[in-house]
Amino acid sequence: MLRLIFSAAVGALVGGAVAAVVGPPGAGIWVLAVALPIGILSVVFLRLGASGLASTSVSQEDLTRARAEDRLGVARIDAVRQTGTQINDQPVCEIDVTVQPRRGAAYATTLRSVVPLIELGALRPDATRPVAILIEGGPEFGFVDGQVSPQEIDGLVVPPPGSVPMISWPKAQRVVNGARRGPLLGIGPRGRVLRGILFVVIALAVAAAVVAPYGRAVVMTAQAAQEGRIGVDLRRPDELAVAVRALEDEIGHDRVSTVLITSDFIRVEAPLTPGRTETDVWMYRGGVVDHEGPAPSQPDLAAEQFSWKDIALSTVWALMEKASAESGLPVGDASAVVSRGTDSDIDSETFGASVENPEMFISLRTEYKSVSFRVNADGSGDVVAQ
């Protein structure tokens, strides 16, 4: 189970890292924050499990079963060594013991166990303690001080050290109801390839689940890499078309009143219902559309709205390059704002309102200079410096 958890944690870390790179700011951070400690803890417990960490305590059920099956005995502590590992500030120790059962031959074994500091004194060399042997033939046992009567272990004498066979404590196994139980998935050579495939599949599935909300960004990032570009630029035709489709799907219609196009995000003010003036803000960034709520400035007229089709989206990048060539400034972080032009007819009922044909304003800047150009949003006409 721990290996499955570790595989899932690895997948989450990979997915979180991808989301952090291609997604909006903060994407994948919470996944990384959760998956990293889980992965570390699973590795720690895997290593402890692989080292044969055992418990020296015995449940009442195990003691009852051992007594009924005549599996009581005594154990002499031959040596105790601290490994240098601690769990919850308690040392992990290697304990060498020689066990003399009531029934059967004596044997020696070594177990690794977490030993509370207050119990170290009871593990002094040559100390003899009553034990319950958990499975027929051992070597698994647990100390049962105060839980058996002297008569139950009377007459048992532990042989001298080195005079009995050594039986290794089984690793990655525990005794449950008098029988050994291994991990859910084996750890031996047999089936290693299938287990490896399972772990990889789990990791990939978790990574895919984490990245799934940012699928658009992943695809666009991969396409940009194929073109030799690092990262997505939403001003370019293909990326911009994908972002607009996502926005239109999320908003539910194609009407907008203001559009801001940058390399990293697209911000849109659009009516909740076409033909009405209640307007909200939507933001596309990192493959995700966020609905940010009411726009700071609400339009006065529904006529300020226009359609995505009124914008020559495929020419935005080319228009920015044209503005760059005319101004001598690099495209760099150039942005474009699209909105309706202002009615300048003083005799019109909509004088001063933004009800004319949509216009695009392109801004280029450096640390020392900035310029702005205006062009018809449908791409017609000249690019005019402002």
Side-chain angles (χ1 to χ4, degrees), residues 319-340:
L319 292 171
M320 288 183 173
E321 289 185 317
K322 186 174 182 179
S324 173
E326 292 190 12
S327 64
L329 299 182
V331 172
D333 294 328
S335 61
V337 175
V338 182
S339 62
R340 283 196 178 275

Side-chain angles (χ1 to χ4, degrees), residues 7-8 11 194-208:
S7 300
L194 293 178
R195 292 196 301 272
I197 294 174
L198 175 62
F199 298 147
V200 170
V201 169
I202 290 174
L204 291 176
V206 173

Side-chain angles (χ1 to χ4, degrees), residues 2 17 24 39 43 68 88 98 100 148 164 183 202 226 242 253 259 266 268 270 283 287-288 355 376 381 386:
L2 285 173
V43 169
N88 291 334
T98 301
Q100 177 61 64
V148 298
V164 296
I202 290 174
Q226 292 176 356
V242 172
H253 55 79
V259 177
I266 299 176
V268 174
M283 177 87 76
V288 178
V355 295
N376 294 332
Q386 298 296 292

Side-chain angles (χ1 to χ4, degrees), residues 216-292:
R216 298 188 191 95
V218 172
V219 172
M220 288 195 293
T221 300
Q223 292 174 342
Q226 292 176 356
E227 298 174 5
R229 293 187 283 117
I230 300 176
V232 173
D233 190 333
L234 295 176
R235 301 167 300 183
R236 294 177 178 269
D238 292 341
E239 285 93 328
L240 180 55
V242 172
V244 169
R245 284 197 298 271
L247 283 163
E248 190 171 340
D249 290 343
E250 187 70 22
I251 295 170
H253 55 79
D254 69 345
R255 308 300 292 181
V256 294
S257 56
T258 301
V259 177
L260 169 61
I261 301 172
T262 74
S263 60
D264 297 327
F265 65 86
I266 299 176
R267 180 182 182 277
V268 174
E269 293 185 8
L272 293 173
T273 303
R276 298 181 64 89
T277 58
E278 293 81 2
T279 299
D280 275 13
V281 175
W282 281 265
M283 177 87 76
Y284 177 94
R285 188 198 299 260
V288 178
V289 178
D290 288 327
H291 186 184
E292 300 187 350

